[in-house]
Amino acid sequence: MLAFTAFDGTTLAYHESGSGHPLICLPGGPMQDSAYLGGLGGLDVHRRLVKLDPRGTGGSATPADPETYRCDRQVDDVEALRAHLGLDRMALLGHSAGTNLALQYAIRHPGRVAALVLVTPSPMGAGIEVTGQDRLDVARLRAAEPWYPRAYAALEAVVAGTGADWDALDPFFHGRWDDETRRYHAAQAPARNTDAAAVFGSAFDPDATGKALAALDVPALVLAGEVDLNTPPSAAEKLAALLPSAETAVQPAAAHFPWRDDPPRFVRTIETFLSVHP
């Protein structure tokens, strides 16, 4: 574990793996440490992954001011990491909720961003709604799975507002649901700072973000999973449409963690993009 000092004196941790051109990685959750990213399916064979533990998670210290958990305030953490690493410009990868932070950083510091990789992005900060019907449509693609009947019934109840069997929905977030995936999924809850997560999106301004993204001329790859219940491809495509220099890729049979569902395809897609935008 490596560390640096943030704008307010908070000590923040980051983890490195691999070698080559650096790729700064911002985890989701929101407010989850970066351990679950691992080597991003082998991307660290090609890139030096620099994975930030957001303040109050993993090896990073808890800040004195809880308001600094806000997504817009954490932009200064990313800038402090860039300066600490001595990078003039950097490629930036965000996963899920971490894509909101990646986009806010790019809006504020466009000249510091060589490329954006937005993996199964959360569209909340841009005001893009994922409807219950969107989720049901994607969920039905999994009808052949043995766990599907209970999971789909639970999803219908959640969408209708008549039930909340959240545990039954877990398989929908993964392209496969086996013992190893169950262990991986179970490890994520303790790694998330729920109090910080409640603050993370409190200052989202979708109208301002949408206008800023329309003026953001930074190369971006928006990578969606075909069967991702959290961020259906339709939502990812709407987010990409806000960015003037974005391209979209949909990984077949992948859910919310596509580097686990088909690692070679995931790595190939990102490496192809970054090789053009180093």
Side-chain angles (χ1 to χ4, degrees):
M1 186 182 72
L2 303 165
F4 65 102
T5 302
F7 66 94
D8 61 347
T10 303
T11 300
L12 302 183
Y14 65 100
H15 309 264
E16 291 193 357
S17 63
S19 60
H21 290 295
L23 177 61
I24 312 305
C25 303
L26 307 178
M31 301 309 297
Q32 182 169 333
D33 71 44
S34 63
Y36 78 97
L37 296 174
L40 285 172
L43 190 58
D44 57 356
V45 173
H46 306 271
R47 299 275 157 179
R48 170 188 163 205
L49 302 185
V50 181
K51 297 165 285 187
L52 176 65
D53 282 350
R55 51 181 51 225
T57 75
S60 292
T62 299
D65 181 3
E67 284 298 301
T68 61
Y69 288 134
R70 284 174 19 183
C71 179
D72 59 335
R73 299 286 297 276
Q74 291 188 63
V75 167
D76 290 330
D77 291 344
V78 181
E79 175 62 3
L81 175 59
R82 180 203 63 77
H84 170 76
L85 295 171
L87 301 175
D88 182 56
R89 300 173 77 232
M90 60 186 178
L92 193 58
L93 179 148
H95 172 243
S96 191
T99 60
N100 291 295
L101 179 54
L103 288 170
Q104 290 301 317
Y105 179 86
I107 288 169
R108 199 180 303 175
H109 301 284
R112 296 298 190 183
V113 181
L116 284 169
V117 178
L118 308 176
V119 179
T120 56
S122 162
M124 289 179 57
I128 296 170
E129 180 187 6
V130 180
T131 68
Q133 189 59 54
D134 292 333
R135 300 188 201 280
L136 289 168
D137 290 344
V138 170
R140 281 194 285 271
L141 299 174
R142 312 292 297 275
E145 304 278 358
W147 45 262
Y148 176 81
R150 179 193 168 200
Y152 189 77
L155 179 60
E156 284 185 309
V158 168
V159 169
T162 60
D165 183 6
W166 299 107
D167 290 345
L169 303 180
D170 292 349
F172 279 125
F173 291 89
H174 304 273
R176 67 179 190 278
W177 190 241
D178 52 20
D179 288 342
E180 189 275 333
T181 304
R182 289 183 181 90
R183 290 190 294 271
Y184 176 81
H185 188 89
Q188 294 194 33
R192 184 170 180 258
N193 184 331
T194 54
D195 291 336
V199 179
F200 180 80
S202 60
F204 281 163
D205 186 341
D207 289 339
T209 296
K211 291 176 184 177
L213 293 180
L216 184 64
D217 191 18
V218 170
L221 170 66
V222 180
L223 176 60
E226 180 188 21
V227 295
D228 183 10
L229 192 72
N230 192 77
T231 310
S234 59
E237 288 163 3
K238 289 176 184 176
L239 179 62
L242 297 177
L243 292 156
S245 301
E247 57 187 81
T248 306
V250 179
Q251 185 169 313
H256 200 54
F257 306 89
W259 63 89
R260 291 176 47 80
D261 298 328
D262 187 343
R265 185 168 192 137
F266 175 84
V267 171
R268 185 167 61 249
T269 299
I270 292 180
E271 260 308 292
T272 299
F273 171 75
L274 288 178
S275 66
V276 179
H277 307 287

